[in-house]
Amino acid sequence: MNVLVTGGAGYIGSHTVRALQAAGHRVVVLDSLETGAREALLGTPLAVGDIADSELVRQLCRDHAIQGLIHFAAYKSVGESMQYPTRYFRNNVAGTSALVEAAAHEGVQRVVFSSSCSVYGTPAQMPAAESAPIQPESVYAETKAMSEQVLRWMHATHGVRSVSLRYFNAAGASLDNAIGEDWSNAANLIPLVMKATLGRQGPVQVFGADYPTPDGTCIRDYIHVDDLADAHVRALQYLFDGGATTALNVGTGTGSSVLDVIRTTERVSGRPVPYDLVGRRQGDPVTVFADPTLVRATLGWTPQHGLDTIIESAWRWHSTHIDGYPSRRGSDG
Ligand code: WQD
């Protein structure tokens, strides 16, 4: 199939582009390169532009006879979204609306959307199932929930079918070390642990060690980025096989604590991880991990990698790409 991938020069996008190509699809990428890295595309055709540029989107859909859309392009910093809410609503929600409308005009009726488990806010029950209430606790999460609604209404009104994949904590790097996460604007735990271990920043700040968990630190569901990429390829195939619009949690179902991540990194790297135990971060749920029952039943997807492989691949990538992608150098946020 001919697939348009927005945000394909980003972390999860670039890993998904490779997985699509390995599955025999032809891919073209639309990316503004605001945060993406051209090098991560390994030569995949790239149009540099904005998802809200309807003329550009329609032209790309016509020129490449696009049959499916995978939409990653979005601003994704929870903290930044609370500082600049309208920027996030404009880019993430209005941008998604313009993109899907333009693609639909050119007959694209299948969309896989990059959503987030953060639409659940602090889930009342663990593991988190798709039936959990949608109660975003940040502007970023709200923009993901609203974009899912746009897609649901595009199905009801125009027959555009979609799968919204609600990611848990994406981490790690491609197993062949060809691409990985750009840590220039890293705010997530695992790239920060790598930076601290490699001496590229000060000690990791562990946000709270007094939680009601076995070791006192928060628990999350870390999922290898290649497993996440595979879920997108399967979701696209599901839509081409006639699958109905749905939303699926994409996580392993296994929780790991902050200290689990630190201890695993020490074992894998053979180095101490510099860290300080500090106060809790506002808004952090204590424990979040997925119930993967529905994604397994719907897509036949099961994660192939656990925390060890996530940390090993992240360490291999960052320790051999200490300055990240050349095009992103000097862009430390
Ligand atoms: C993980 C854990 C922190 C940094 C992310 C994305 C969100 C969504 C879900 C995709 C928490 C702790 C972190 C640090 C720390 N993904 N931590 N020190 O908050 O679970 O959410 O995954 O949409 O968009 O943000 O990820 O990596 O920030 O935190 O102690 O310096 O690590 O308290 O328990 P989070 P995170």
Side-chain angles (χ1 to χ4, degrees), residues 55-260:
E55 260 323 296
L56 174 59
V57 170
R58 294 186 67 169
Q59 188 71 44
L60 287 170
C61 289
R62 287 195 298 269
D63 290 353
H64 297 274
I66 295 300
Q67 300 159 288
L69 169 65
I70 303 189
H71 175 33
F72 291 100
Y75 295 150
K76 65 162 195 158
S77 164
V78 173
E80 187 186 59
S81 78
M82 302 304 276
Q83 278 187 287
Y84 306 106
T86 50
R87 185 163 170 254
Y88 271 66
F89 285 117
R90 185 167 50 251
N91 187 60
N92 292 6
V93 186
T96 295
S97 301
L99 169 73
V100 176
E101 180 191 48
H105 271 305
E106 300 301 334
V108 178
Q109 297 276 309
R110 306 168 188 92
V111 181
V112 178
F113 174 60
S114 166
S115 189
S116 166
C117 67
S118 56
V119 301
Y120 300 120
T122 303
Q125 285 181 310
M126 274 307 126
E130 289 79 358
S131 54
I134 301 299
Q135 46 190 20
E137 293 171 0
S138 71
V139 168
Y140 161 79
E142 184 67 61
T143 68
K144 289 299 182 180
M146 291 171 74
S147 295
E148 287 191 20
Q149 290 285 67
V150 168
L151 289 167
R152 266 192 281 281
W153 280 105
M154 281 301 286
H155 183 188
T157 58
H158 290 75
V160 175
R161 286 176 296 111
S162 60
V163 176
S164 291
L165 296 177
R166 294 172 180 164
Y167 307 160
F168 284 68
N169 292 56
S174 64
L175 298 184
D176 64 359
N177 206 33
I179 57 174
E181 184 169 12
D182 177 79
W183 66 10
S184 54
N185 288 307
N188 293 123
L189 178 67
I190 289 177
L192 292 176
V193 166
M194 298 297 152
K195 260 189 168 178
T197 308
L198 286 160
R200 306 295 286 205
Q201 69 162 53
V204 177
Q205 292 192 304
V206 175
F207 296 139
D210 59 350
Y211 285 100
T213 62
D215 65 16
T217 64
C218 286
I219 291 172
R220 295 289 183 273
D221 186 332
Y222 296 98
I223 173 171
H224 194 280
V225 63
D226 278 347
D227 279 331
L228 203 43
D230 180 49
H232 290 77
V233 178
R234 289 170 180 269
L236 194 65
Q237 190 57 53
Y238 160 85
L239 291 171
F240 270 87
D241 295 343
T245 290
T246 187
L248 300 171
N249 287 353
V250 190
T252 67
T254 302
S256 301
S257 73
V258 176
L259 285 178
D260 287 334

Side-chain angles (χ1 to χ4, degrees), residues 183 193-200 261-275 311 315 318-320 322:
W183 66 10
V193 166
M194 298 297 152
K195 260 189 168 178
T197 308
L198 286 160
R200 306 295 286 205
V261 167
I262 288 175
R263 298 290 174 250
T264 304
T265 302
E266 290 180 331
R267 177 162 42 79
V268 164
S269 67
R271 301 187 192 185
V273 173
Y275 69 92
I311 298 296
W315 175 253
H318 289 299
S319 55
T320 54
I322 198 79

